[in-house]
Each structure stands twice: as C-alpha cells, then as structure tokens.
Amino acid sequence: MLHSFRELAENYSTIFFDAYGVLKNFEGVLDGALSVLGELKRGGKEIFIVTNDASRSPKKMSRTYLHEELGELFPEDRIISSGLLARDFLRAKVRERTVAYLGKQDSAYYIESAGLIAKPLSECLASDSIGALALLDDEGFDWQPDINRAINLLRQKTIPVVVANADKVYPVHGNAVAVAVGGIADLIESIPDTRFVRFGKPDAYLISYAFSRASALTPGLRRKDILMVGDSLDTDIRGGNKFGIDTVLVLSGNTAKASYQLTIDASGVIPDFICESIST
Amino acid sequence: MLHSFRELAENYSTIFFDAYGVLKNFEGVLDGALSVLGELKRGGKEIFIVTNDASRSPKKMSRTYLHEELGELFPEDRIISSGLLARDFLRAKVRERTVAYLGKQDSAYYIESAGLIAKPLSECLASDSIGALALLDDEGFDWQPDINRAINLLRQKTIPVVVANADKVYPVHGNAVAVAVGGIADLIESIPDTRFVRFGKPDAYLISYAFSRASALTPGLRRKDILMVGDSLDTDIRGGNKFGIDTVLVLSGNTAKASYQLTIDASGVIPDFICESIST
Amino acid sequence: MLHSFRELAENYSTIFFDAYGVLKNFEGVLDGALSVLGELKRGGKEIFIVTNDASRSPKKMSRTYLHEELGELFPEDRIISSGLLARDFLRAKVRERTVAYLGKQDSAYYIESAGLIAKPLSECLASDSIGALALLDDEGFDWQPDINRAINLLRQKTIPVVVANADKVYPVHGNAVAVAVGGIADLIESIPDTRFVRFGKPDAYLISYAFSRASALTPGLRRKDILMVGDSLDTDIRGGNKFGIDTVLVLSGNTAKASYQLTIDASGVIPDFICESIST
Amino acid sequence: MLHSFRELAENYSTIFFDAYGVLKNFEGVLDGALSVLGELKRGGKEIFIVTNDASRSPKKMSRTYLHEELGELFPEDRIISSGLLARDFLRAKVRERTVAYLGKQDSAYYIESAGLIAKPLSECLASDSIGALALLDDEGFDWQPDINRAINLLRQKTIPVVVANADKVYPVHGNAVAVAVGGIADLIESIPDTRFVRFGKPDAYLISYAFSRASALTPGLRRKDILMVGDSLDTDIRGGNKFGIDTVLVLSGNTAKASYQLTIDASGVIPDFICESIST
C-alpha cells in the first residue's frame, strides 16, 4: 500500500517539498532527510521548498538545510514562501508607504523587500497613513491588545489586509499544536466581516508561482514532471491536486499513520501516493 | 417613526432590559436611565436585566444601578445572566469536580456557585481531573498561551465546553470594540472542530429562563405582557422575537441612528418598535 | 459499556423520545418499540415525542404509534414538534395575514393553526401582502424555481423567515440520506445573508417547551426526573445536555454502532448513557 | 470620482473582461460594448474574456460578440473560462474514464475535451465506475433528486468533486438573481463535509492561467500592462487584486451605482478605478 519515496521520486524531474512535517519538525531536520535530499540533488533532480511559513526570509530558511558536502540544499531561490506572494501583492497594490503588521521582526522582511516601511501595529499612531495591514506570523506581538487594535483599525479605514500564511494551526511538539496566523486572521476578519487576501496552500496560486520559478530553470517543464510532497491533506495535497501535479502524502507529520485512510475518506482529498516518510 | 419609550412601556407589565448600550456604556449608567427605571418601578412595572455578561455575579451587577431613593433598582434575583444557564449546565452535567476556566476571577462565581472547583486553565496540570472547560470572559488570562492550552486540552480530552457569553464582540469606548469571549470560543472551537455549549441571546432559551423567573413573581404572566429592550438586532431583538415577545430597538448603543433601517433590512431581524433611548 | 434501556428508564418519571431513528425508520415503527412504550405507560411513565418533524400535525403523527391494547401511545398533546414553536412565533410576530411557505400541504397546519392563511410560495403574486416566509418541509415544491423565488422575495421584502425544522439532512432508506428543510434554509439564507428564525433541536428552547408541557401534567417535575432519548448527537443529545437533563444515545439510527465512540470524541458531545436501542 | 473607461484603457496593452454585467446581461450584449471592444482591437489592445461561466464551450461563447466589421471579437482562444481549469484538473487527476456531472449537456464539453466520458448523474448506475463528480451548471438537471443523489454518491465513494464555477448566485433579469452552481456546491459539500475543488474568480489561479495565455501572445508581458474589468467586487476585483494587476469596477452589473462606496467599505475589497461602464 505504502510506496517507497526514493523509488517514486525517480519518475519526476522536479520535486516540491513542504517543509514542516516533511523535512523537519520542532526538534530540527528529520533523521535521514538531508541524506535523501543530497541523493536527489546528486541524481540531477530540481528540488524546491513550497511553504506557508512567512516568519522569516527564504535566505534565513536556507540555513536550516545544510548538507555536509553539498552545503545549502535549498539556496534562497529554491524556497517559495507564501510570504513572497504577499510581498508581490503589497508592491502592486499598496498606495501609502507604511504597512502595519502583526508578526515577528523577521517576518517584516516580506514588507520591506517590497520597498515599503514595516511598522508593528502596536506602534502605529492614529495619525499614521497606513496603506495595508499584513498578518505575517502568530508570534512577536501581544494577542489581546493587538487583535483588538487590528479590528478597530479595520472599522475605521478601508485598507487591504494580507495574510501571508493561510494555515489555521501548526504542530509544535509531541502531539501539541498552536494557532497559526491564519487562525488569528479568521477571528479578525469575522468581526468587521471584510475579505482578506490570503496566500498559501491550498491555494493553487502558490503552486503556480513555484511552477513559474521551476520553469525558468527547466525550460519546457510539464506538470507531469513534478511531484508535490506534503504531510497535510488540507493544504499540500489539496493545492497540488488542484494545480494538476502528482501528490504524495508522507506520514511523518500532520497525518497519523493509524488513520490516514479515514482522514482521506472524511476529507475527500485524495493523494496520488502515500509514503511513510521521504527516507523510505 | 420613532416611539417614546415611556409611552410604549405603559402597555406592558414586565420589561426585560439588555444592560450594555441600553442602561449603561463604558462611562457608566446612561444619563436619565436611573430616573426612567425609577418611574417604571414606582408605576408597578416588573423590571429585569437579561444579559450575556458573565464577568461577575448578579449580586455585583446589582450595585451598578442605585437609585437615590429606591436603592438597588435590580436586586440580585432580577438580573438574569447567561452565566446562570452555564452554572445550571455545569451543575447538571459535569462529573469531575474541577472546572478549568478562562476569565477574570470574578467570573468564576458561575462555576463555584454550582458547587464545583474553579481553576484558571493556566494553573491546570496534566494530572488534574478536569470535568469541563468554561469560557467565561475575555479578560483575566493571557490570550496566546491560554488559547493554545485550551485547544490542546480539547485534543486530549473529550469534555464539555461551556461558553457563558455568546457575544463575539462588545463596545468599549468611542466607536471602538473588543473581542468578547464568544469570539475567542469561535476560534478555539474551529480547531478541534467540536461543539461547544453556548449560552446567551440570541438563544431564546435565556429569554425563556427569564420568563420562568418573571412568572414566579407574576402568576399568569403572558408573553404579550412583556417587552424586551435591546440595542443589538443580532442578539436582543432576535432572541426576543424568537421567544414571541414584543421587542424594541433602542439607538443608544450598537445600532447607529443614521443607518438602523439599512441594518434591519440587511439582517432581516425586525423589531416591533424603535426608540432613540429609554429616556425618550 | 452499553446500558439496558429498560433498566435505565426505571430511574425517570418522564421520558422524551426523538422519533426517527429511535421509534421508527423508513420502514415504519421499529421492532419491539410499541411493546417497550406500552410497558413504560403501564409502569406509569409519562412519555413524549420531541421532534424536529414539521411535515404534518401532531394529530396525524399520533396515528403512527398504535398499541394493540392501549391505543394511541402518544396522544396529540404528547407530541412536541418544532412546528409548534414556529406556529407560536408566527402567531406572535406576523403582521400580514398571508404566510408564504415551502413544504407539503400537510405542513401548512402550523401556519393555519396560528390563525393565518398559508399560501404555497409558487402561488404568491407580487401584489400579495406577505407577512412571513415559512420553510416547513423539503417535499411538496419544485426546488429550483421555488428556492430562487424565495431568494428573490427576500431581496425585495424585509419579512421574518421561520424554519420549522433545523435538520440539514435526514435518513431515508438503507444508508441513504436526503436534504432536509434546514439544509435548504442554509442555502437560501446565505444569499441575502439575513438571519432566519430556526426552531428545533439542538436548540434547548424546544426541550424547554417540552418541559413546560410535561410540568403541566406533573406538577413539581424536576429536570433530573427526565430522560432524553435520541439517535443523533448533534441534535437530540446536544439539546438535552444543554437543557441539563440526562441523555441517552441509542444506536438504532443516525449513529453507527461501529464508531459511536469516535463520533463522540470528534464532536465533543457526550451522552450520559448509551443503549443499543430502546428494546434492550 | 468616476473614470472614463476609454481613457483608462489607453494605459494598458492587455485587458481582461468579465462577461456578465460588463459586456452583456440577460437581454444580450450591452449597448455600445461591441463598438468599444472594436476600438480597442483596432488600437492594438489584446482583449480577453475571463469568466466563471462553464455552461458551454469557449467556441460557443465566441459567437456572442460579433462585430459588424471585425467579426468575432473574442476568438475561442481569447476566452478563459473556469471550465478550462476544471478540464485540466480532470485530465490530470481522474483515474476512471467516466465522470458524473450536474449541468446542461453543453457544459459536458469540459469533461469530454479532457478525453473522458461525461454522464449525467441521474443516469449513473450503482455499478458504474465513476472517477469524479463535476458540478458544471445550475441548469440541466432536476435539483431535488440530483442534489440528493450527489450527496449519497459522496457518502459511498471517495472521489474528487470539481466545481467549474465558484459563483454562488448570478443575475437574471431586472433585479432578480438565481442560485449558481457554486451555491449548489456549498449545499452538497456541507453534508458529507468534504473538500471540493473549486475553480474560478476570486481564485487568483484563474487570472494566473489567463496571464500565461496572454504572455504566450505578448512575450515579456508584465502584470502592470494588464487591466482587469469586472462588475463584482467579490470575484473580479478580489481575484485581480490578489494577482497584483490593476482592477476597475464597472457599475453596469452587480454593484449598484447608488451604493458602491458602501459596498467597498463593507467588503474591504478596493478596486484601483471605478467606471460607470465600458462605454464611458
């Protein structure tokens, strides 16, 4: 029933990896992952990370995956974060230079690299000309005052709100989870009842963006040459399926080994393949 | 178009008042309210507060409405809080003695008066036998760690969760609002995707409870003898309408004078009467 | 783990039964049900049906449960339908005499018994003064034109909409289900985005109404004297729990024997007891 | 405040038009539209239709826009329908050759052109090997039996469900609307509670697909060279904004002249420009 990831990967020229639950977890990079990634690179595969994590820049994310011999397995341009779509949106659509944000200082990268000024929402004054509100990360601010600030800002001003990570929740340690910025966005959005601009899987637009990036490296790349690897049916597999590329569910993260078939049947989201992990 | 509240009130023997936006706001009791309430009492009307506020006991709420000559306008037994329904639920349905809660210490009244032990969620240990989780108020805890704690508790244990105030949001000062415990409950509930037990308007059950209380004082009380006074279409007026009593919308709180007809048309919630305030 | 229903029933003076999945299914009354009900009546128990079915009058429903010796096990006044709450609402709140409805002709009983004129929505003219729209049943009208008619009526007029059955779906035969009027109501309500008035379990108000009716027969009736028997966690058990009465889940209908514990854990709705059926 | 569409169009090389409410309505092509489109073509602009309409093939849609001198203003390859994304999905992801569908026969084009066999859901037998369910159009089937059939099919089989038009509602004549297949999809999806694959605006993926098509004609095309023209904030403008192209709201369709600013403020969806119609 379960496939060997190594054998499966042979059929594709390009592989999109989700990060958390596939390549790493709260303790760090998963056992054996660097070795498999190294083999893939040596075998000529083009590998990318496609992630909803907008907590820091692709450059900083690169440092997580260091191979003893090959060095950075995912150079900056191989890391496609939903934050990059948020950055492009801000660059194209924001008319005032200051963007208020919720998130860690590192996540402000996605505002600043759009040529805009990032200001923590808690430091914004009523007199500031704010062009947009960016919800970037669940850390780096004080939830109660800042969630209330966000709601009141949106009651006063009609500005775009961009959510750089569509996830509602993320795994932390053991079996525990934490609310991600997408969950906070749902709460804020429901109160003025406006429409936020969300980026990230399962939106096929992120996969489509990764496809453009990969096509620049491999002219003539076809969808059937690509495999999307993820641990979450609701984001990775839905997104990959919608974009029409092959998808493989790995059981090293969000989806439990004991109940994956139940979860597939209950959700109606069907991966093309299932592997225990990428080290199999 | 607008009615005089004083004239309207003459047609009823019993009046249910929402508190916030009707009798008081963030600055205190509304101008003229105590005087109108005093007149009603002197005229023999039975008056009650029917509120979604579970932040403190009815006894403490009583102290807010002191009339120069009549003293407490709403003695403890005239204040019907959604917290009382939560208390009754806990008393009937909880099998372990300890109930974890989110809220101020004052709100724990609704657990303790059920004969149970109230413990702030942040102080609960993994080894504690917890019989239920009670979401009582938006203050008194640290949102980020405690919302995450609540979610993880519910992923581990199948216990009832009671929400003592169904409101998503409440007015604070000026035009500003704050997320109420009902909004926090929506966020928590959406992640394990379980069903919480919510008490408070627009649920007609709270009005039905108030009706029982009022009937004990006025044998033979009929629904058409009662007027529900509220500033929120979505809670006060919906609840009163559903229970089949007459409803009056006052424009001293949540619903703006400039746009009340638009709000009625957009919501489909139709009050029987509209008054500028209870002092009219 | 499973209890004997007969033994359990001994501890209560009054029993509220859901009908479908508990007493009958698409083939008729369940084997052994009449016999158990007869025993309960002979043993002096007060028995009631508490149902979300508003497709016909309580009088017609009575004929389903005929005992060889005892005759009608549930006389008309022992059948509490959510339709009765809809009737009371219409009587109290509708200002024009004509009420448009979707449903079978039999379901119009709940409009007519409020002293109003029931008119199928498809026969309503633009010139009619319509006081309310009543969604009564999923049968008796042509879905496509009539759902569109309902939406356009609500875009033109601000009138109350009452839903006499909150269920989204109901079992038909084998493992199949059909969309109930509550599901149709969700679709209609989402388009003008107004607020409908829904009656029926899990709303504790229906249980509260049944409690009043039962108290009239048994003065001094306490909640702990009552047992709610249902096959659906999401309606029967939630409603009974919220009202604070004991609840028993039977596995003869909506909830499968093989997976009831999973369903309880996933929903967070916890019955006090579980029985295979009422014949055990 | 309002811009002239003709002047605005001069700043772009490529224009994406929504069809319904922008180019045509229930009576046919809007007055003056053909003439404006002709001018644009003569002026060297690349014009495309980007539509959520999957009721018939692009080839059939082409015939609607015939210019006296220029002939078909939108040849088949200039019409980007959400149905094309559904077709690509079916081609990539369906493993059995037969796809059950709800919709008119014309809409089956999007299944057949994927090399699959389209079968109306009402004609499918329990013994058929069905690879997917496609929700294509709100016409062409009998709602009550077929919506119930769809729900029961999904309770039995884990197959992908594709929705070729994300709209919930569409305008018909005068001020009236009708439920679109996206609304029917919401009802069906909520009952087994699975995840459908929806195509169409506001999903930026459709705009991204149109961008690829337009780039093939205009190498080096940049996003800032494109203008998206639409009458619906919630689909056209949201989708264009998210993709980072300039957007113009026209007031000839879904958004009323009297209240567009209110609608913008309430939704938080902000067009870059507003024009009365494309003929201005």
Side-chain angles (χ1 to χ4, degrees), chain C residues 241-270:
Chain C
N241 281 352
K242 184 167 173 183
F243 189 67
I245 58 177
D246 280 356
T247 52
V248 56
L249 177 74
V250 290
L251 305 175
S252 48
N254 261 331
T255 308
K257 254 170 267 191
S259 56
Y260 69 86
Q261 192 58 51
L262 274 176
T263 315
I264 290 169
D265 290 341
S267 65
V269 179
I270 312 162

mmCIF file of all heavy atoms in Angstrom, chain C residues 241-270:
data_model
loop_
_atom_site.group_PDB
_atom_site.id
_atom_site.type_symbol
_atom_site.label_atom_id
_atom_site.label_comp_id
_atom_site.label_asym_id
_atom_site.label_seq_id
_atom_site.Cartn_x
_atom_site.Cartn_y
_atom_site.Cartn_z
ATOM 1 N N ASN C 241 -28.551 17.839 26.650
ATOM 2 C CA ASN C 241 -27.445 18.248 27.546
ATOM 3 C C ASN C 241 -27.542 19.723 27.889
ATOM 4 O O ASN C 241 -27.404 20.115 29.047
ATOM 5 C CB ASN C 241 -26.092 18.001 26.869
ATOM 6 C CG ASN C 241 -25.669 16.538 26.938
ATOM 7 O OD1 ASN C 241 -26.298 15.725 27.617
ATOM 8 N ND2 ASN C 241 -24.608 16.206 26.225
ATOM 9 N N LYS C 242 -27.773 20.552 26.875
ATOM 10 C CA LYS C 242 -27.794 21.989 27.120
ATOM 11 C C LYS C 242 -28.904 22.361 28.102
ATOM 12 O O LYS C 242 -28.728 23.243 28.938
ATOM 13 C CB LYS C 242 -27.990 22.733 25.795
ATOM 14 C CG LYS C 242 -27.919 24.234 25.955
ATOM 15 C CD LYS C 242 -27.801 24.941 24.627
ATOM 16 C CE LYS C 242 -27.895 26.446 24.819
ATOM 17 N NZ LYS C 242 -27.845 27.175 23.547
ATOM 18 N N PHE C 243 -30.027 21.657 28.018
ATOM 19 C CA PHE C 243 -31.133 21.937 28.935
ATOM 20 C C PHE C 243 -30.877 21.329 30.314
ATOM 21 O O PHE C 243 -31.608 21.603 31.260
ATOM 22 C CB PHE C 243 -32.446 21.412 28.341
ATOM 23 C CG PHE C 243 -33.653 21.848 29.107
ATOM 24 C CD1 PHE C 243 -34.032 23.191 29.141
ATOM 25 C CD2 PHE C 243 -34.412 20.931 29.839
ATOM 26 C CE1 PHE C 243 -35.140 23.605 29.875
ATOM 27 C CE2 PHE C 243 -35.524 21.344 30.569
ATOM 28 C CZ PHE C 243 -35.886 22.680 30.591
ATOM 29 N N GLY C 244 -29.857 20.488 30.404
ATOM 30 C CA GLY C 244 -29.494 19.966 31.720
ATOM 31 C C GLY C 244 -30.255 18.730 32.144
ATOM 32 O O GLY C 244 -30.360 18.449 33.337
ATOM 33 N N ILE C 245 -30.815 17.996 31.175
ATOM 34 C CA ILE C 245 -31.459 16.732 31.540
ATOM 35 C C ILE C 245 -30.555 15.577 31.113
ATOM 36 O O ILE C 245 -29.656 15.747 30.291
ATOM 37 C CB ILE C 245 -32.866 16.587 30.899
ATOM 38 C CG1 ILE C 245 -32.795 16.690 29.372
ATOM 39 C CG2 ILE C 245 -33.817 17.622 31.476
ATOM 40 C CD1 ILE C 245 -34.145 16.488 28.680
ATOM 41 N N ASP C 246 -30.796 14.416 31.674
ATOM 42 C CA ASP C 246 -29.985 13.255 31.313
ATOM 43 C C ASP C 246 -30.296 12.834 29.878
ATOM 44 O O ASP C 246 -31.435 12.952 29.422
ATOM 45 C CB ASP C 246 -30.242 12.092 32.278
ATOM 46 C CG ASP C 246 -29.476 12.271 33.585
ATOM 47 O OD1 ASP C 246 -28.706 13.244 33.696
ATOM 48 O OD2 ASP C 246 -29.650 11.436 34.493
ATOM 49 N N THR C 247 -29.269 12.347 29.196
ATOM 50 C CA THR C 247 -29.439 11.978 27.791
ATOM 51 C C THR C 247 -28.926 10.573 27.549
ATOM 52 O O THR C 247 -27.916 10.161 28.113
ATOM 53 C CB THR C 247 -28.642 12.939 26.883
ATOM 54 O OG1 THR C 247 -27.282 13.006 27.345
ATOM 55 C CG2 THR C 247 -29.235 14.335 26.892
ATOM 56 N N VAL C 248 -29.614 9.866 26.686
ATOM 57 C CA VAL C 248 -29.152 8.546 26.277
ATOM 58 C C VAL C 248 -29.124 8.480 24.749
ATOM 59 O O VAL C 248 -30.093 8.830 24.082
ATOM 60 C CB VAL C 248 -30.014 7.411 26.884
ATOM 61 C CG1 VAL C 248 -31.489 7.557 26.550
ATOM 62 C CG2 VAL C 248 -29.532 6.039 26.385
ATOM 63 N N LEU C 249 -27.991 8.048 24.237
ATOM 64 C CA LEU C 249 -27.837 7.844 22.798
ATOM 65 C C LEU C 249 -28.213 6.411 22.470
ATOM 66 O O LEU C 249 -27.672 5.477 23.064
ATOM 67 C CB LEU C 249 -26.372 8.086 22.403
ATOM 68 C CG LEU C 249 -26.025 7.852 20.922
ATOM 69 C CD1 LEU C 249 -26.577 8.989 20.063
ATOM 70 C CD2 LEU C 249 -24.514 7.738 20.734
ATOM 71 N N VAL C 250 -29.134 6.239 21.516
ATOM 72 C CA VAL C 250 -29.434 4.879 21.048
ATOM 73 C C VAL C 250 -28.795 4.692 19.666
ATOM 74 O O VAL C 250 -28.691 5.631 18.883
ATOM 75 C CB VAL C 250 -30.958 4.596 20.992
ATOM 76 C CG1 VAL C 250 -31.524 4.518 22.391
ATOM 77 C CG2 VAL C 250 -31.698 5.624 20.158
ATOM 78 N N LEU C 251 -28.369 3.453 19.414
ATOM 79 C CA LEU C 251 -27.590 3.168 18.206
ATOM 80 C C LEU C 251 -28.464 2.547 17.115
ATOM 81 O O LEU C 251 -27.980 1.834 16.246
ATOM 82 C CB LEU C 251 -26.411 2.262 18.563
ATOM 83 C CG LEU C 251 -25.513 2.826 19.684
ATOM 84 C CD1 LEU C 251 -24.434 1.834 20.073
ATOM 85 C CD2 LEU C 251 -24.907 4.165 19.277
ATOM 86 N N SER C 252 -29.745 2.885 17.140
ATOM 87 C CA SER C 252 -30.674 2.301 16.163
ATOM 88 C C SER C 252 -30.934 3.237 14.986
ATOM 89 O O SER C 252 -31.791 2.968 14.155
ATOM 90 C CB SER C 252 -32.002 1.973 16.872
ATOM 91 O OG SER C 252 -32.432 3.089 17.645
ATOM 92 N N GLY C 253 -30.206 4.353 14.922
ATOM 93 C CA GLY C 253 -30.471 5.311 13.837
ATOM 94 C C GLY C 253 -29.196 5.908 13.282
ATOM 95 O O GLY C 253 -28.348 5.200 12.747
ATOM 96 N N ASN C 254 -29.082 7.238 13.431
ATOM 97 C CA ASN C 254 -28.003 8.009 12.810
ATOM 98 C C ASN C 254 -26.582 7.658 13.235
ATOM 99 O O ASN C 254 -25.641 7.900 12.493
ATOM 100 C CB ASN C 254 -28.194 9.498 13.157
ATOM 101 C CG ASN C 254 -28.860 10.228 12.024
ATOM 102 O OD1 ASN C 254 -28.707 9.857 10.870
ATOM 103 N ND2 ASN C 254 -29.605 11.272 12.343
ATOM 104 N N THR C 255 -26.409 7.165 14.447
ATOM 105 C CA THR C 255 -25.061 6.948 14.958
ATOM 106 C C THR C 255 -24.734 5.461 14.895
ATOM 107 O O THR C 255 -25.457 4.638 15.449
ATOM 108 C CB THR C 255 -24.956 7.474 16.412
ATOM 109 O OG1 THR C 255 -25.441 8.818 16.437
ATOM 110 C CG2 THR C 255 -23.512 7.461 16.893
ATOM 111 N N ALA C 256 -23.623 5.150 14.188
ATOM 112 C CA ALA C 256 -23.311 3.747 13.907
ATOM 113 C C ALA C 256 -22.703 3.059 15.109
ATOM 114 O O ALA C 256 -21.919 3.642 15.856
ATOM 115 C CB ALA C 256 -22.366 3.670 12.719
ATOM 116 N N LYS C 257 -23.069 1.800 15.284
ATOM 117 C CA LYS C 257 -22.548 1.005 16.388
ATOM 118 C C LYS C 257 -21.026 0.918 16.348
ATOM 119 O O LYS C 257 -20.354 0.943 17.366
ATOM 120 C CB LYS C 257 -23.130 -0.422 16.298
ATOM 121 C CG LYS C 257 -24.199 -0.706 17.335
ATOM 122 C CD LYS C 257 -24.922 -2.012 17.068
ATOM 123 C CE LYS C 257 -26.178 -1.730 16.235
ATOM 124 N NZ LYS C 257 -27.082 -2.908 16.159
ATOM 125 N N ALA C 258 -20.493 0.812 15.135
ATOM 126 C CA ALA C 258 -19.055 0.560 14.993
ATOM 127 C C ALA C 258 -18.209 1.765 15.385
ATOM 128 O O ALA C 258 -17.041 1.622 15.706
ATOM 129 C CB ALA C 258 -18.743 0.162 13.554
ATOM 130 N N SER C 259 -18.789 2.939 15.385
ATOM 131 C CA SER C 259 -17.933 4.126 15.508
ATOM 132 C C SER C 259 -18.481 5.181 16.464
ATOM 133 O O SER C 259 -18.069 6.328 16.411
ATOM 134 C CB SER C 259 -17.752 4.752 14.123
ATOM 135 O OG SER C 259 -19.014 5.039 13.560
ATOM 136 N N TYR C 260 -19.409 4.793 17.345
ATOM 137 C CA TYR C 260 -20.019 5.841 18.176
ATOM 138 C C TYR C 260 -19.004 6.554 19.074
ATOM 139 O O TYR C 260 -19.108 7.756 19.280
ATOM 140 C CB TYR C 260 -21.219 5.313 18.981
ATOM 141 C CG TYR C 260 -20.891 4.347 20.080
ATOM 142 C CD1 TYR C 260 -20.537 4.789 21.349
ATOM 143 C CD2 TYR C 260 -20.942 2.979 19.855
ATOM 144 C CE1 TYR C 260 -20.244 3.902 22.355
ATOM 145 C CE2 TYR C 260 -20.642 2.079 20.856
ATOM 146 C CZ TYR C 260 -20.295 2.544 22.114
ATOM 147 O OH TYR C 260 -19.998 1.665 23.112
ATOM 148 N N GLN C 261 -18.005 5.807 19.576
ATOM 149 C CA GLN C 261 -17.054 6.474 20.463
ATOM 150 C C GLN C 261 -16.212 7.498 19.706
ATOM 151 O O GLN C 261 -15.960 8.602 20.193
ATOM 152 C CB GLN C 261 -16.169 5.447 21.180
ATOM 153 C CG GLN C 261 -15.362 6.054 22.327
ATOM 154 C CD GLN C 261 -16.242 6.704 23.386
ATOM 155 O OE1 GLN C 261 -17.187 6.097 23.872
ATOM 156 N NE2 GLN C 261 -15.973 7.970 23.716
ATOM 157 N N LEU C 262 -15.818 7.150 18.476
ATOM 158 C CA LEU C 262 -15.111 8.096 17.608
ATOM 159 C C LEU C 262 -15.950 9.354 17.367
ATOM 160 O O LEU C 262 -15.452 10.475 17.397
ATOM 161 C CB LEU C 262 -14.833 7.469 16.233
ATOM 162 C CG LEU C 262 -13.562 6.633 16.076
ATOM 163 C CD1 LEU C 262 -13.513 6.021 14.689
ATOM 164 C CD2 LEU C 262 -12.325 7.511 16.315
ATOM 165 N N THR C 263 -17.247 9.130 17.110
ATOM 166 C CA THR C 263 -18.130 10.249 16.820
ATOM 167 C C THR C 263 -18.286 11.150 18.038
ATOM 168 O O THR C 263 -18.309 12.377 17.922
ATOM 169 C CB THR C 263 -19.508 9.724 16.353
ATOM 170 O OG1 THR C 263 -19.295 8.680 15.398
ATOM 171 C CG2 THR C 263 -20.329 10.816 15.712
ATOM 172 N N ILE C 264 -18.373 10.545 19.200
ATOM 173 C CA ILE C 264 -18.474 11.335 20.440
ATOM 174 C C ILE C 264 -17.194 12.150 20.636
ATOM 175 O O ILE C 264 -17.238 13.356 20.880
ATOM 176 C CB ILE C 264 -18.730 10.406 21.651
ATOM 177 C CG1 ILE C 264 -20.146 9.823 21.573
ATOM 178 C CG2 ILE C 264 -18.509 11.146 22.972
ATOM 179 C CD1 ILE C 264 -20.422 8.695 22.569
ATOM 180 N N ASP C 265 -16.033 11.507 20.482
ATOM 181 C CA ASP C 265 -14.768 12.219 20.685
ATOM 182 C C ASP C 265 -14.597 13.341 19.665
ATOM 183 O O ASP C 265 -14.118 14.424 19.991
ATOM 184 C CB ASP C 265 -13.590 11.243 20.597
ATOM 185 C CG ASP C 265 -13.532 10.292 21.791
ATOM 186 O OD1 ASP C 265 -14.143 10.616 22.816
ATOM 187 O OD2 ASP C 265 -12.892 9.242 21.680
ATOM 188 N N ALA C 266 -15.001 13.078 18.424
ATOM 189 C CA ALA C 266 -14.819 14.092 17.385
ATOM 190 C C ALA C 266 -15.748 15.282 17.584
ATOM 191 O O ALA C 266 -15.397 16.417 17.271
ATOM 192 C CB ALA C 266 -15.050 13.481 16.003
ATOM 193 N N SER C 267 -16.933 15.031 18.133
ATOM 194 C CA SER C 267 -17.911 16.112 18.245
ATOM 195 C C SER C 267 -17.828 16.828 19.581
ATOM 196 O O SER C 267 -18.262 17.972 19.711
ATOM 197 C CB SER C 267 -19.328 15.552 18.078
ATOM 198 O OG SER C 267 -19.623 14.682 19.161
ATOM 199 N N GLY C 268 -17.304 16.151 20.580
ATOM 200 C CA GLY C 268 -17.311 16.736 21.917
ATOM 201 C C GLY C 268 -18.691 16.753 22.565
ATOM 202 O O GLY C 268 -18.888 17.404 23.584
ATOM 203 N N VAL C 269 -19.641 16.041 21.973
ATOM 204 C CA VAL C 269 -20.997 15.959 22.537
ATOM 205 C C VAL C 269 -21.115 14.605 23.240
ATOM 206 O O VAL C 269 -21.018 13.557 22.608
ATOM 207 C CB VAL C 269 -22.062 16.081 21.428
ATOM 208 C CG1 VAL C 269 -23.449 15.965 22.027
ATOM 209 C CG2 VAL C 269 -21.889 17.388 20.673
ATOM 210 N N ILE C 270 -21.334 14.655 24.562
ATOM 211 C CA ILE C 270 -21.197 13.453 25.388
ATOM 212 C C ILE C 270 -22.539 13.058 26.002
ATOM 213 O O ILE C 270 -23.065 13.766 26.852
ATOM 214 C CB ILE C 270 -20.190 13.723 26.531
ATOM 215 C CG1 ILE C 270 -18.917 14.371 25.965
ATOM 216 C CG2 ILE C 270 -19.871 12.450 27.290
ATOM 217 C CD1 ILE C 270 -18.078 15.064 27.031
#
